[in-house]
Amino acid sequence: MEVGKNPTKEQLEKLFDVGFNIENVTIEKLSLPDGSTTDHFVNGTDIVISVNGLDNLESLESFDNQTKQYRTENLVDTRRHKTIDVFGHIGDFGNLGLTPKMQTALKKAVANYNNLNSSITMTLRFGQDSFSDPKPDIVVSKTNLYGSGGLAGFPSRNGDPYKWVQIGQDADNFSIGYNTLVLTHELGHCLGLRHTDYFARVCNGVNEGETFDGAIHIPGTPTDIDITSIMISCPVPGTDPNSYTGDFNNNDKKALEYMYPL
């Protein structure tokens, strides 16, 4: 990853317009397992926006998010994606291959979703070439960005899951349970889950904003911060990362089963 550079005034205004928190925004060059690099806006959260895609976003005012666990406006179209093909990258390019611990954690993360009473079904395979046929829906790899955290995005308007999940290389220093939490969390974003504390992150109190993707309350789940949720934005201060199991709590299950009913 290259050292971050600052967005232009015009880019910051557009980011603000679409509801993206513009505190501490930088442009980072992310390496992907296909050998490409892409510029993304990052702001200290695990959600990124591509620089090239910014012009295609509409202002927040154009979305009808009147309601107050939270999901995005767009969800995965499970009619087209009857199964979600997850590919774990274990190739050598750019040191992006998942470690053995991360591979075990990814298996557990996929099992978390397949054990729900929902219409979500995931398949998982590992390999070095994620662009040979059949092309996967989600590619999971390692990154040197954000240390022991992760990066992902939200579903597209046409109902595709977000494609790129990256886990920080330092996560390998922690338990399989912690790695499972990170990967289950980032896969949750790919399916449309927001942070349960998006309006006041538990680690720093920052409001991430609704963003152009929306932050719609899911019926049957809390509207306040749920610190035991897999979708909490960051480890609760004072919590040992190795204590995490990577399992859904009941509210996580309710949210996903409501979003993707059988």
Side-chain angles (χ1 to χ4, degrees), residues 2 7 13 29 65 91-92 106 122 135 152 186 208 221 225:
E2 293 188 353
E13 288 174 348
K29 192 173 290 293
N65 295 330
D92 294 330
L106 182 55
M122 291 185 178
K135 292 180 174 58
E186 301 306 336
E208 296 175 357
T221 67
I225 295 174

Side-chain angles (χ1 to χ4, degrees), residues 5-118:
K5 58 183 179 180
N6 294 326
T8 65
K9 178 182 177 182
E10 290 74 19
Q11 288 172 325
L12 285 173
E13 288 174 348
K14 178 67 173 179
L15 288 168
F16 180 81
D17 228 18
V18 300
F20 194 68
N21 189 300
I22 60 173
E23 293 184 29
N24 304 315
V25 176
T26 58
I27 298 174
E28 308 288 353
K29 192 173 290 293
L30 303 183
S31 297
L32 300 175
D34 63 349
S36 67
T37 57
T38 58
D39 290 336
H40 284 75
F41 298 106
V42 300
N43 66 351
T45 74
D46 60 339
I47 300 301
V48 295
I49 294 178
S50 73
V51 172
N52 288 339
L54 181 61
D55 289 339
N56 296 325
L57 302 180
E58 298 179 28
S59 66
L60 187 61
E61 288 79 12
S62 66
F63 290 88
D64 184 21
N65 295 330
Q66 301 301 316
T67 55
K68 309 185 198 38
Q69 230 94 355
Y70 297 87
R71 71 169 179 85
T72 57
E73 182 82 10
N74 301 319
L75 297 179
V76 174
D77 184 349
T78 54
R79 295 168 300 179
R80 289 195 300 108
H81 296 278
K82 296 185 183 300
T83 60
I84 298 172
D85 182 19
V86 179
F87 185 94
H89 179 68
I90 56 175
D92 294 330
F93 168 77
N95 194 30
L96 300 182
L98 298 173
T99 67
K101 184 182 293 184
M102 293 172 181
Q103 293 173 45
T104 299
L106 182 55
K107 292 175 184 177
K108 290 178 176 292
V110 167
N112 279 341
Y113 288 95
N114 286 336
N115 288 335
L116 294 170
N117 292 316
S118 76

Side-chain angles (χ1 to χ4, degrees), residues 112-180:
N112 279 341
Y113 288 95
N114 286 336
N115 288 335
L116 294 170
N117 292 316
S118 76
S119 57
I120 297 169
T121 302
M122 291 185 178
T123 58
L124 174 62
R125 54 195 168 102
F126 293 95
Q128 298 187 23
D129 181 6
S130 60
F131 289 86
S132 59
D133 289 328
K135 292 180 174 58
D137 299 306
I138 299 174
V139 178
V140 183
S141 64
K142 191 172 62 177
T143 181
N144 62 351
L145 185 65
Y146 282 10
S148 59
L151 290 172
F154 298 127
S156 67
R157 289 190 190 174
N158 65 354
D160 295 328
Y162 186 79
K163 189 176 184 72
W164 306 105
V165 168
Q166 295 186 302
I167 182 171
Q169 60 185 5
D170 294 342
D172 200 53
N173 297 328
F174 299 106
S175 66
I176 288 174
Y178 175 81
N179 280 258
T180 303

Side-chain angles (χ1 to χ4, degrees), residues 101 148 170-171 173-182 227-228 232 234-246:
K101 184 182 293 184
S148 59
D170 294 342
N173 297 328
F174 299 106
S175 66
I176 288 174
Y178 175 81
N179 280 258
T180 303
L181 177 143
V182 172
I227 62 171
T228 66
I232 202 77
C234 41
V236 178
T239 303
D240 178 4
N242 291 312
S243 69
Y244 289 106
T245 63

